Amino acid sequence: MKIVRARDYDDMSRKVANIISAQVILKPDCVLGLATGSTPIGAYRQLAGWNQKGDCDFSQVSTYNLDEYRGLSHDDPQSYHYFMKTNFFDHVNIDQANTHVPDGSNPDADAACKEYDRIVAAAGYPDLQLLGIGNNGHIGFNEPDDHFSKGTHCVNLTESTIQANSRLFDRIEDVPRQAYTMGVQTIMFAKMIVIAANGSAKAQAVHDMCYGPVTPQCPASILQLHDNVVVVADEAALALCPAE
Ligand code: F6R
Protein backbone atom coordinates (compact mmCIF):
# COMPACT_ATOMS: atom_id res chain seq x y z
CA MET A 1 0.00 0.00 0.00
CA LYS A 2 1.30 3.41 -0.83
CA ILE A 3 0.29 6.11 1.65
CA VAL A 4 0.05 9.67 0.34
CA ARG A 5 -0.17 12.24 3.13
CA ALA A 6 -2.39 15.26 2.56
CA ARG A 7 -2.49 18.41 4.68
CA ASP A 8 -6.25 18.69 4.84
CA TYR A 9 -9.48 17.89 2.95
CA ASP A 10 -8.75 20.21 0.02
CA ASP A 11 -5.25 18.85 -0.43
CA MET A 12 -6.58 15.28 -0.24
CA SER A 13 -9.25 16.11 -2.82
CA ARG A 14 -6.75 17.62 -5.28
CA LYS A 15 -4.41 14.65 -4.92
CA VAL A 16 -7.24 12.18 -5.54
CA ALA A 17 -8.45 14.22 -8.51
CA ASN A 18 -4.91 14.30 -9.92
CA ILE A 19 -4.65 10.51 -9.78
CA ILE A 20 -8.07 10.06 -11.46
CA SER A 21 -7.21 12.68 -14.07
CA ALA A 22 -3.93 10.88 -14.86
CA GLN A 23 -5.89 7.64 -15.34
CA VAL A 24 -8.30 9.34 -17.74
CA ILE A 25 -5.46 10.98 -19.68
CA LEU A 26 -3.55 7.70 -19.97
CA LYS A 27 -6.64 5.69 -20.98
CA PRO A 28 -9.44 7.95 -22.24
CA ASP A 29 -11.92 5.06 -22.45
CA CYS A 30 -11.12 3.77 -18.97
CA VAL A 31 -13.58 2.22 -16.53
CA LEU A 32 -13.82 4.09 -13.22
CA GLY A 33 -15.32 2.61 -10.07
CA LEU A 34 -16.80 5.46 -8.05
CA ALA A 35 -17.96 6.14 -4.51
CA THR A 36 -20.45 8.50 -2.89
CA GLY A 37 -20.30 10.08 0.57
CA SER A 38 -18.64 13.24 1.84
CA THR A 39 -15.08 12.14 1.11
CA PRO A 40 -15.02 12.29 -2.72
CA ILE A 41 -17.11 15.45 -3.18
CA GLY A 42 -14.04 17.73 -3.30
CA ALA A 43 -12.30 15.50 -5.83
CA TYR A 44 -15.43 15.43 -8.03
CA ARG A 45 -15.59 19.23 -7.86
CA GLN A 46 -11.93 19.53 -8.85
CA LEU A 47 -12.38 17.10 -11.76
CA ALA A 48 -15.45 19.03 -12.93
CA GLY A 49 -13.41 22.25 -12.90
CA TRP A 50 -10.66 20.70 -14.99
CA ASN A 51 -13.24 19.19 -17.34
CA GLN A 52 -14.85 22.57 -17.89
CA LYS A 53 -11.43 24.03 -18.73
CA GLY A 54 -10.97 21.26 -21.30
CA ASP A 55 -8.26 19.51 -19.31
CA CYS A 56 -9.88 16.21 -18.40
CA ASP A 57 -12.15 14.61 -20.97
CA PHE A 58 -14.76 12.14 -19.72
CA SER A 59 -16.49 11.62 -23.07
CA GLN A 60 -15.27 8.03 -23.43
CA VAL A 61 -15.19 7.09 -19.75
CA SER A 62 -17.63 4.64 -18.20
CA THR A 63 -18.35 4.44 -14.49
CA TYR A 64 -19.66 1.87 -12.02
CA ASN A 65 -20.63 2.99 -8.54
CA LEU A 66 -20.14 0.86 -5.49
CA ASP A 67 -23.54 0.90 -3.92
CA GLU A 68 -27.07 2.19 -3.61
CA TYR A 69 -29.72 2.22 -0.89
CA ARG A 70 -32.41 -0.40 -1.39
CA GLY A 71 -35.89 0.99 -1.95
CA LEU A 72 -35.05 4.47 -3.23
CA SER A 73 -36.01 5.60 -6.72
CA HIS A 74 -33.29 7.04 -8.96
CA ASP A 75 -34.58 10.58 -8.54
CA ASP A 76 -34.93 10.40 -4.76
CA PRO A 77 -32.61 13.16 -3.45
CA GLN A 78 -31.18 10.69 -0.90
CA SER A 79 -30.33 8.09 -3.54
CA TYR A 80 -26.80 7.57 -4.75
CA HIS A 81 -28.06 7.90 -8.33
CA TYR A 82 -29.10 11.45 -7.48
CA PHE A 83 -25.88 12.11 -5.55
CA MET A 84 -23.72 11.11 -8.51
CA LYS A 85 -25.74 13.17 -10.96
CA THR A 86 -25.74 16.31 -8.86
CA ASN A 87 -22.17 16.05 -7.54
CA PHE A 88 -20.43 14.82 -10.65
CA PHE A 89 -22.13 13.52 -13.78
CA ASP A 90 -24.11 16.73 -14.49
CA HIS A 91 -20.88 18.77 -14.34
CA VAL A 92 -18.65 16.81 -16.74
CA ASN A 93 -18.92 15.74 -20.36
CA ILE A 94 -19.59 12.10 -19.54
CA ASP A 95 -22.22 10.21 -21.55
CA GLN A 96 -24.74 9.46 -18.80
CA ALA A 97 -25.67 6.23 -20.59
CA ASN A 98 -22.18 5.05 -19.60
CA THR A 99 -22.73 5.69 -15.89
CA HIS A 100 -23.97 2.85 -13.69
CA VAL A 101 -25.20 2.58 -10.12
CA PRO A 102 -26.83 -0.55 -8.60
CA ASP A 103 -30.60 -0.39 -9.10
CA GLY A 104 -31.91 0.21 -5.59
CA SER A 105 -35.40 0.74 -7.01
CA ASN A 106 -35.58 -2.94 -7.99
CA PRO A 107 -37.15 -4.75 -5.01
CA ASP A 108 -35.85 -8.07 -6.37
CA ALA A 109 -32.46 -7.97 -4.64
CA ASP A 110 -31.19 -11.12 -6.29
CA ALA A 111 -31.99 -9.92 -9.81
CA ALA A 112 -30.63 -6.41 -9.20
CA CYS A 113 -27.34 -7.72 -7.75
CA LYS A 114 -26.84 -10.40 -10.43
CA GLU A 115 -27.44 -7.86 -13.18
CA TYR A 116 -24.93 -5.47 -11.64
CA ASP A 117 -22.28 -8.19 -11.39
CA ARG A 118 -22.94 -9.06 -15.01
CA ILE A 119 -22.39 -5.53 -16.30
CA VAL A 120 -19.32 -4.83 -14.13
CA ALA A 121 -17.74 -8.09 -15.34
CA ALA A 122 -18.69 -7.33 -18.96
CA ALA A 123 -16.89 -3.98 -18.61
CA GLY A 124 -13.75 -5.82 -17.52
CA TYR A 125 -13.81 -4.37 -13.95
CA PRO A 126 -12.55 -0.88 -13.09
CA ASP A 127 -9.14 0.35 -14.19
CA LEU A 128 -9.31 2.56 -11.12
CA GLN A 129 -11.64 2.11 -8.16
CA LEU A 130 -12.16 5.10 -5.87
CA LEU A 131 -13.16 4.20 -2.30
CA GLY A 132 -13.98 5.96 0.93
CA ILE A 133 -13.78 4.13 4.24
CA GLY A 134 -16.42 3.85 6.96
CA ASN A 135 -15.62 4.66 10.59
CA ASN A 136 -15.95 0.90 11.16
CA GLY A 137 -13.62 -0.02 8.26
CA HIS A 138 -16.34 -0.74 5.71
CA ILE A 139 -15.71 -0.35 1.99
CA GLY A 140 -18.71 0.04 -0.25
CA PHE A 141 -21.36 -1.13 2.19
CA ASN A 142 -19.38 -4.24 3.10
CA GLU A 143 -19.77 -4.05 6.85
CA PRO A 144 -17.60 -5.86 9.45
CA ASP A 145 -18.52 -9.54 9.25
CA ASP A 146 -17.10 -13.01 9.79
CA HIS A 147 -16.27 -13.46 6.09
CA PHE A 148 -15.36 -11.33 3.07
CA SER A 149 -18.17 -10.95 0.56
CA LYS A 150 -17.78 -11.82 -3.11
CA GLY A 151 -20.17 -10.26 -5.65
CA THR A 152 -22.89 -7.61 -5.41
CA HIS A 153 -25.33 -8.40 -2.62
CA CYS A 154 -27.97 -6.91 -0.37
CA VAL A 155 -26.74 -5.87 3.10
CA ASN A 156 -28.33 -4.83 6.34
CA LEU A 157 -26.56 -1.63 7.38
CA THR A 158 -25.02 -1.60 10.85
CA GLU A 159 -26.15 0.84 13.54
CA SER A 160 -22.77 2.61 13.22
CA THR A 161 -23.31 3.20 9.49
CA ILE A 162 -26.96 4.24 9.94
CA GLN A 163 -25.80 6.68 12.61
CA ALA A 164 -22.97 8.06 10.44
CA ASN A 165 -25.22 8.46 7.38
CA SER A 166 -28.12 9.99 9.31
CA ARG A 167 -26.38 13.39 9.04
CA LEU A 168 -27.66 13.52 5.46
CA PHE A 169 -31.29 12.76 6.36
CA ASP A 170 -33.88 14.80 8.26
CA ARG A 171 -34.50 12.00 10.75
CA ILE A 172 -32.52 8.87 11.59
CA GLU A 173 -35.69 6.81 10.93
CA ASP A 174 -35.49 7.92 7.29
CA VAL A 175 -32.10 6.26 6.69
CA PRO A 176 -32.72 3.10 4.64
CA ARG A 177 -31.76 -0.05 6.53
CA GLN A 178 -30.55 -1.98 3.49
CA ALA A 179 -28.34 -1.38 0.49
CA TYR A 180 -27.05 -3.19 -2.58
CA THR A 181 -23.27 -3.14 -2.66
CA MET A 182 -20.47 -4.44 -4.81
CA GLY A 183 -18.73 -7.24 -2.95
CA VAL A 184 -15.20 -7.15 -1.60
CA GLN A 185 -14.01 -9.62 -4.22
CA THR A 186 -15.34 -7.41 -7.02
CA ILE A 187 -13.61 -4.39 -5.50
CA MET A 188 -10.36 -6.38 -5.41
CA PHE A 189 -10.68 -7.08 -9.17
CA ALA A 190 -10.01 -3.38 -9.89
CA LYS A 191 -6.58 -2.85 -11.43
CA MET A 192 -5.83 0.09 -9.15
CA ILE A 193 -7.54 1.21 -5.96
CA VAL A 194 -7.46 4.73 -4.53
CA ILE A 195 -8.91 5.00 -1.04
CA ALA A 196 -9.40 8.45 0.45
CA ALA A 197 -9.95 9.39 4.08
CA ASN A 198 -10.10 12.59 6.05
CA GLY A 199 -10.88 13.56 9.61
CA SER A 200 -10.17 12.04 13.00
CA ALA A 201 -13.29 9.83 12.93
CA LYS A 202 -11.48 7.72 10.32
CA ALA A 203 -8.16 7.42 12.20
CA GLN A 204 -8.78 4.01 13.77
CA ALA A 205 -10.19 2.53 10.56
CA VAL A 206 -7.26 3.87 8.52
CA HIS A 207 -4.77 2.43 11.01
CA ASP A 208 -6.51 -0.98 11.02
CA MET A 209 -6.75 -0.99 7.22
CA CYS A 210 -3.02 -0.35 6.78
CA TYR A 211 -1.44 -1.97 9.83
CA GLY A 212 -3.98 -4.30 11.42
CA PRO A 213 -4.54 -7.97 10.65
CA VAL A 214 -6.33 -8.80 7.40
CA THR A 215 -9.76 -9.63 8.76
CA PRO A 216 -13.38 -9.26 7.63
CA GLN A 217 -13.93 -7.44 10.94
CA CYS A 218 -12.19 -4.55 9.12
CA PRO A 219 -13.21 -5.10 5.48
CA ALA A 220 -10.75 -2.47 4.20
CA SER A 221 -7.85 -4.52 5.60
CA ILE A 222 -8.15 -6.85 2.59
CA LEU A 223 -6.64 -4.04 0.53
CA GLN A 224 -3.25 -5.00 2.04
CA LEU A 225 -3.40 -7.99 -0.34
CA HIS A 226 -3.94 -5.89 -3.49
CA ASP A 227 -0.74 -4.92 -5.28
CA ASN A 228 -1.80 -1.47 -6.46
CA VAL A 229 -3.47 0.53 -3.68
CA VAL A 230 -2.95 4.19 -2.89
CA VAL A 231 -4.26 5.58 0.40
CA VAL A 232 -4.72 9.35 0.23
CA ALA A 233 -5.42 10.66 3.72
CA ASP A 234 -5.12 13.86 5.67
CA GLU A 235 -3.14 14.29 8.87
CA ALA A 236 -6.17 13.74 11.12
CA ALA A 237 -7.04 10.42 9.44
CA LEU A 238 -3.37 9.33 9.66
CA ALA A 239 -3.00 10.33 13.31
CA LEU A 240 -2.75 6.73 14.58
CA CYS A 241 -0.41 5.56 11.80
CA PRO A 242 3.34 5.60 12.23
CA ALA A 243 4.97 8.68 10.65
CA GLU A 244 6.82 7.49 7.52
C1 F6R B 1 -20.13 5.22 -0.52
C2 F6R B 1 -19.48 4.11 0.13
C3 F6R B 1 -19.06 4.17 1.57
C4 F6R B 1 -18.38 5.47 1.94
C5 F6R B 1 -18.00 5.48 3.42
C6 F6R B 1 -17.39 6.80 3.83
O1 F6R B 1 -20.41 4.90 -1.86
O2 F6R B 1 -19.29 3.13 -0.48
O3 F6R B 1 -18.20 3.09 1.84
O4 F6R B 1 -17.25 5.63 1.15
O5 F6R B 1 -19.12 5.23 4.20
O6 F6R B 1 -18.38 7.78 3.75
P1 F6R B 1 -18.04 9.33 3.91
O7 F6R B 1 -17.17 9.68 2.75
O8 F6R B 1 -19.35 10.02 3.85
O9 F6R B 1 -17.32 9.47 5.21
Side-chain angles (χ1 to χ4, degrees):
M1 280 177 151
K2 175 163 184 52
I3 299 181
V4 174
R5 305 185 84 92
R7 285 186 301 280
D8 51 24
Y9 180 80
D10 288 345
D11 190 34
M12 176 199 77
S13 300
R14 275 193 308 277
K15 286 177 160 63
V16 168
N18 266 301
I19 297 169
I20 295 173
S21 169
Q23 170 67 69
V24 173
I25 290 167
L26 290 169
K27 187 176 177 193
D29 61 348
C30 65
V31 177
L32 298 179
L34 297 179
T36 59
S38 310
T39 310
I41 290 178
Y44 292 151
R45 200 171 290 144
Q46 180 70 73
L47 287 168
W50 288 334
N51 178 255
Q52 283 148 25
K53 286 188 190 146
D55 283 341
C56 188
D57 177 15
F58 287 90
S59 61
Q60 297 177 64
V61 170
S62 53
T63 66
Y64 292 82
N65 264 78
L66 286 164
D67 41 20
E68 176 60 285
Y69 288 120
R70 185 182 191 194
L72 299 189
S73 67
H74 298 186
D75 55 4
D76 187 308
Q78 302 292 1
S79 75
Y80 287 172
H81 276 83
Y82 186 89
F83 175 101
M84 288 309 299
K85 261 180 81 57
T86 52
N87 284 292
F88 191 44
F89 300 148
D90 283 350
H91 308 288
V92 294
N93 67 335
I94 199 162
D95 178 350
Q96 300 222 12
N98 293 335
T99 67
H100 309 84
V101 180
D103 186 4
S105 70
N106 184 350
D108 184 341
D110 208 38
C113 294
K114 277 209 178 89
E115 173 58 8
Y116 205 63
D117 277 343
R118 189 190 67 72
I119 61 172
V120 178
Y125 299 103
D127 293 292
L128 185 157
Q129 174 69 57
L130 175 62
L131 299 175
I133 182 169
N135 298 348
N136 61 3
H138 74 213
I139 48 175
F141 271 135
N142 294 283
E143 301 281 26
D145 204 344
D146 57 10
H147 65 284
F148 288 111
S149 62
K150 294 193 165 64
T152 306
H153 58 290
C154 181
V155 287
N156 296 321
L157 303 183
T158 61
E159 271 314 310
S160 140
T161 298
I162 293 166
Q163 193 73 46
N165 290 7
S166 65
R167 70 190 191 282
L168 306 169
F169 290 78
D170 290 339
R171 302 173 315 156
I172 192 161
E173 303 85 76
D174 297 338
V175 184
R177 268 36 187 179
Q178 290 188 311
Y180 299 153
T181 183
M182 250 188 217
V184 169
Q185 185 183 51
T186 312
I187 292 171
M188 291 290 281
F189 284 151
K191 297 171 190 72
M192 178 185 190
I193 295 176
V194 179
I195 181 157
N198 68 287
S200 56
K202 302 291 173 70
Q204 189 66 52
V206 170
H207 170 273
D208 294 353
M209 163 175 72
C210 300
Y211 299 100
V214 175
T215 163
Q217 291 304 322
C218 175
S221 65
I222 191 101
L223 301 179
Q224 291 177 34
L225 304 183
H226 193 287
D227 63 7
N228 194 5
V229 175
V230 182
V231 180
V232 186
D234 73 354
E235 293 300 339
L238 288 170
L240 300 179
C241 295
E244 308 235 327

